[in-house]
Amino acid sequence: MRQRTSRPRRGKRGEGENGRDRWLITYADLITLLLIFFVMMFAMSRLDTQKYKEITQSLQLTFKSGDSILDQGSGITGSADKNNHKNPDTAAKPQQQPQRGADQLSDRELAFRQQEKELQNLLQVISSYVKDNKLEDQIFVADQPQGISITLSDKFLFDVGKADLKSGSVPVMDKLASLFKELHTTISIEGHTDNLPIVYASKYQDNWELSGARALSVLRYFLDEKHLSAEDFQYAGYGDTRPAADNATEAGRQKNRRVEIIVLRQLKE
């Protein structure tokens, strides 16, 4: 008998090669999709600015000119009931609102400038008066942030431990009253003392009472003798709480015993 020899079976040629190359199809699809994606991105990035402006202007005009259809208006397309409008016609000429805020601000700024001129004129007049009458050691004038400060020494105004004005201070008080009459602001009168307790025969218990009484005495002269308006004034007594110099020396204590008249840099309501 003829013996059959077993031969190895051969697979189909190319079957393994095709299996190994199938990933190329997936890779090619991915590359194609990425290419399409970048082409779309490039196309979207090239925006026609002129057409975009035209569309934007058209939409703005449409929404501005159309009434609200929810409020029985004609709607954006104008196809709603035109005979029963609830909203006013926005296409009509807009009513010009008066700019009262800007006008008020402008008037207030002009008032501040006018007041500043008055304060600078006051500073110049008083400084000249003090210099002409040789009162530099008794009256000090300064331009401070809160206003024009006129500091009067206690020796010039009062006797020790008292709050009655000296007769020698009357000409200066009259001069100040004539200047204050022309102003349109608030004038603050403030009394100050040193830190030494009252040891002389005085009707005032402490420096608080003395400083307040001295400020009030100056105020009373302007109101009762010169008939200035009480609405233009305010006064306070601070005792020794606001020293202008060191209380450790006699010269410092002398500077602290004073009455300050401050013409405030502020507009009256």
Side-chain angles (χ1 to χ4, degrees), residues 3 25 57 166 178 188 209 211 266-267:
Q3 294 182 356
I25 299 175
Q57 292 176 357
K166 290 181 178 180
S178 65
S188 179
E209 287 190 6
S211 62
Q266 66 181 22
L267 294 179

Side-chain angles (χ1 to χ4, degrees), residues 82-137:
K82 297 182 179 180
N83 298 323
N84 190 19
H85 281 191
K86 182 177 179 181
N87 296 338
D89 187 5
T90 56
K93 294 182 179 180
Q95 297 180 355
Q96 295 182 354
Q97 298 293 336
Q99 299 179 352
R100 297 184 60 185
D103 295 340
Q104 290 177 355
L105 180 61
S106 178
D107 293 342
R108 189 170 181 83
E109 183 176 353
L110 292 175
F112 268 117
R113 292 183 180 181
Q114 179 63 30
Q115 184 186 76
E116 190 62 29
K117 290 181 181 179
E118 295 177 355
L119 294 179
Q120 294 304 317
N121 180 67
L122 175 68
L123 176 64
Q124 183 178 359
V125 171
I126 297 178
S127 299
S128 300
Y129 178 84
V130 170
K131 183 177 181 181
D132 295 342
N133 291 273
K134 296 180 173 53
L135 296 171
E136 292 89 349
D137 59 337

Side-chain angles (χ1 to χ4, degrees), residues 1-7:
M1 296 180 61
R2 181 182 297 179
Q3 294 182 356
R4 297 182 179 178
T5 59
S6 60
R7 298 179 180 179

Side-chain angles (χ1 to χ4, degrees), residues 17-29:
E17 295 178 357
N18 291 337
R20 290 194 301 268
D21 295 341
R22 284 182 180 178
W23 66 271
L24 291 175
I25 299 175
T26 305
Y27 177 74
D29 291 341

Side-chain angles (χ1 to χ4, degrees), residues 94-226:
Q95 297 180 355
Q96 295 182 354
Q97 298 293 336
Q99 299 179 352
R100 297 184 60 185
D103 295 340
Q104 290 177 355
L105 180 61
S106 178
D107 293 342
R108 189 170 181 83
E109 183 176 353
L110 292 175
F112 268 117
R113 292 183 180 181
Q114 179 63 30
Q115 184 186 76
E116 190 62 29
K117 290 181 181 179
E118 295 177 355
L119 294 179
Q120 294 304 317
N121 180 67
L122 175 68
L123 176 64
Q124 183 178 359
V125 171
I126 297 178
S127 299
S128 300
Y129 178 84
V130 170
K131 183 177 181 181
D132 295 342
N133 291 273
K134 296 180 173 53
L135 296 171
E136 292 89 349
D137 59 337
Q138 303 295 333
I139 303 175
F140 309 93
V141 186
D143 187 355
Q144 298 181 353
Q146 67 267 34
I148 304 301
S149 174
I150 306 166
T151 303
L152 302 155
S153 172
D154 75 321
K155 285 184 177 182
F156 178 74
L157 293 176
F158 312 104
D159 291 324
V160 177
K162 296 183 178 181
D164 299 322
L165 289 174
K166 290 181 178 180
S167 59
S169 65
V170 171
V172 174
M173 299 294 290
D174 291 344
K175 180 64 176 180
L176 294 177
S178 65
L179 296 174
F180 294 161
K181 187 180 299 185
E182 305 298 329
L183 299 177
H184 301 85
T185 185
T186 301
I187 301 171
S188 179
I189 303 175
E190 303 173 357
H192 302 271
T193 66
D194 57 22
N195 64 345
L196 296 180
I198 298 177
V199 295
Y200 299 98
S202 175
K203 62 180 181 180
Y204 304 107
Q205 295 183 1
D206 52 26
N207 287 324
W208 284 103
E209 287 190 6
L210 179 60
S211 62
R214 286 180 169 180
L216 181 59
S217 180
V218 174
L219 174 61
R220 286 296 183 191
Y221 184 85
F222 289 141
L223 300 183
D224 299 340
E225 301 297 330
K226 309 310 296 183

